[in-house]
């Protein structure tokens, strides 16, 4: 698990419709081998910009790693992924963005941490810059060119998904209107993704409800009692007078 929290892995801009296609294949009952083969053929014609054109195997192969968050996650993430897939069955493709967000966040915490830094900046100002996000993320992952490059691809993925909007000045971004997540059970699954993205595997419920990494979403208020009733992978720990901690249960 620790290795997952240290890796970067976002080596190119990820288009949402690539994620959609992956889930559609899973819902159709295709095997991991079949999905890999289909993605291999599909992605060689898909540019990062969202257009079409031939790409080299080394380039498009990098995208498959992110897409495995859905069809071949780490073993400890399989129950979480299975519940996310259950939600996908009941939602339209247009409503899958929160599911893709949490699936990537759990498998690639770097994505979650970029969102957290962006969200923190948006709490202070209406526009943010690449330089501001990169400066904060380098404090966590180190001052390496690969960190800045992966961070840039992550931010550009946010733009491609409509989470961020390019501002007039190059390298500046504004946030889009938040996506409402009305289903409390889906919100709990989002909280679980945050716990997977956190190396300690535990976060106070109040901090989850207002987590800056969820800046693209509007979440409902949820009680600790409701969490304990609806998700058996999370432990609800009460401390102090009114504080509640959510903890990933040990396998």
């Amino acid at each position: 698990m620790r290795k997952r929290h240290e890796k970067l892995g976002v080596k190119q801009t990820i288009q949402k419709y690539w994620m959609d296609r992956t889930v559609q294949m899973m819902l159709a009952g295709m095997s991991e081998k079949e999905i890999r083969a289909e993605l291999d053929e599909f992605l060689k014609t898909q540019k990062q910009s969202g257009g079409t054109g031939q790409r080299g195997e080394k380039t498009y192969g990098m995208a498959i790693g992110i897409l495995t968050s859905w069809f071949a996650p780490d073993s400890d993430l399989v129950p979480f992924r299975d519940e996310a897939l259950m939600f996908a069955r009941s939602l339209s493709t247009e409503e899958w963005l929160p599911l893709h967000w949490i699936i990537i966040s759990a498998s690639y915490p770097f994505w979650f941490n970029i969102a957290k830094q962006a969200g923190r900046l948006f709490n202070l100002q209406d526009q943010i810059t690449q330089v501001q996000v990169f400066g904060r993320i380098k404090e966590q992952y180190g001052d390496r060119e690969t960190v800045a490059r992966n961070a840039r691809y992550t931010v550009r993925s946010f733009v491609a998904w409509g989470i961020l909007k390019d501002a007039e000045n190059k390298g500046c971004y504004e946030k889009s209107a938040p996506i409402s997540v009305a289903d409390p059970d889906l919100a709990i699954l989002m909280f679980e993704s945050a716990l997977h993205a956190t190396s300690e595997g535990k976060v106070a419920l109040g901090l989850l409800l207002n987590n800056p990494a969820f800046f693209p979403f509007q979440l409902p208020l949820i009680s600790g009692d409701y969490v304990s009733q609806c998700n058996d992978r999370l432990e609800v720990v009460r401390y102090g007078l009114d504080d509640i901690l959510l903890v990933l249960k040990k396998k």
Side-chain angles (χ1 to χ4, degrees):
M1 183 183 295
R2 184 176 180 183
K3 183 179 179 182
R4 187 161 71 224
H5 291 88
E6 295 172 350
K7 71 181 179 181
L8 306 178
V10 188
K11 299 178 181 179
Q12 61 180 262
T13 302
I14 304 299
Q15 294 291 332
K16 176 183 174 291
Y17 67 89
W18 300 352
M19 305 289 291
D20 291 342
R21 191 180 182 98
T22 302
V23 173
Q24 288 164 349
M25 288 189 285
M26 294 179 69
L27 294 178
M30 294 174 65
S31 67
E32 177 184 338
K33 183 178 180 180
E34 291 171 329
I35 292 173
R36 284 185 183 275
E38 182 74 19
L39 287 174
D40 194 66
E41 285 299 311
F42 172 65
L43 290 174
K44 67 173 60 173
T45 67
Q46 304 298 310
K47 291 187 175 181
Q48 296 183 59
S49 62
T52 58
Q54 291 297 315
R55 289 210 288 163
E57 182 177 355
K58 183 178 180 181
T59 306
Y60 70 75
M62 294 177 181
I64 294 180
I66 297 291
L67 301 180
T68 59
S69 302
W70 269 113
F71 67 87
D74 292 344
S75 59
D76 64 307
L77 294 177
V78 170
F80 164 77
R81 186 280 314 273
D82 288 347
E83 186 168 344
L85 192 61
M86 183 184 69
F87 273 101
R89 291 184 187 278
S90 63
L91 297 172
S92 67
T93 307
E94 291 71 26
E95 298 174 296
W96 285 356
L97 191 150
L99 299 176
H100 297 325
W101 185 273
I102 63 176
I103 284 292
I104 296 180
S105 293
S107 290
Y108 289 85
F110 182 79
W111 176 285
F112 181 86
N113 286 323
I114 292 290
K116 183 186 292 183
Q117 299 307 333
R120 284 174 174 168
L121 288 165
F122 277 127
N123 285 338
L124 301 173
Q125 57 206 57
D126 294 331
Q127 285 191 2
I128 65 173
T129 68
Q130 279 191 6
V131 173
Q132 290 172 324
V133 175
F134 298 173
R136 291 191 172 202
I137 206 68
K138 283 179 179 180
E139 294 175 6
Q140 183 174 355
Y141 289 90
D143 189 2
R144 294 174 286 144
E145 174 55 31
T146 51
V147 173
R149 187 164 56 247
N150 280 253
R152 184 166 58 251
Y153 287 136
T154 304
V155 170
R156 293 313 302 173
S157 297
F158 293 176
V159 174
W161 289 25
I163 294 299
L164 293 180
K165 297 182 292 186
D166 287 310
E168 289 185 8
N169 295 326
K170 186 176 180 181
C172 294
Y173 304 97
E174 300 171 351
K175 63 178 177 179
S176 301
I179 298 168
S180 177
V181 177
D183 187 335
D185 293 344
L186 176 53
I188 293 172
L189 199 65
M190 296 179 76
F191 295 162
E192 184 179 350
S193 78
L195 297 183
H196 285 297
T198 304
S199 57
E200 298 83 5
K202 57 184 178 181
V203 181
L205 178 58
L207 293 179
L208 288 170
L209 287 166
N210 298 289
N211 197 303
F214 292 139
F215 77 87
F217 309 102
Q218 188 171 12
L219 303 178
L221 289 175
I222 296 172
S223 68
D225 289 337
Y226 189 80
V227 174
S228 63
Q229 293 168 15
C230 298
N231 190 316
D232 59 7
R233 296 181 299 278
L234 303 181
E235 182 179 0
V236 177
V237 179
R238 302 180 186 280
Y239 65 101
L241 292 176
D242 300 305
D243 295 314
I244 296 172
L245 193 69
L246 299 190
V247 183
L248 286 174
K249 289 183 178 178
K250 303 291 185 182
K251 300 297 181 182

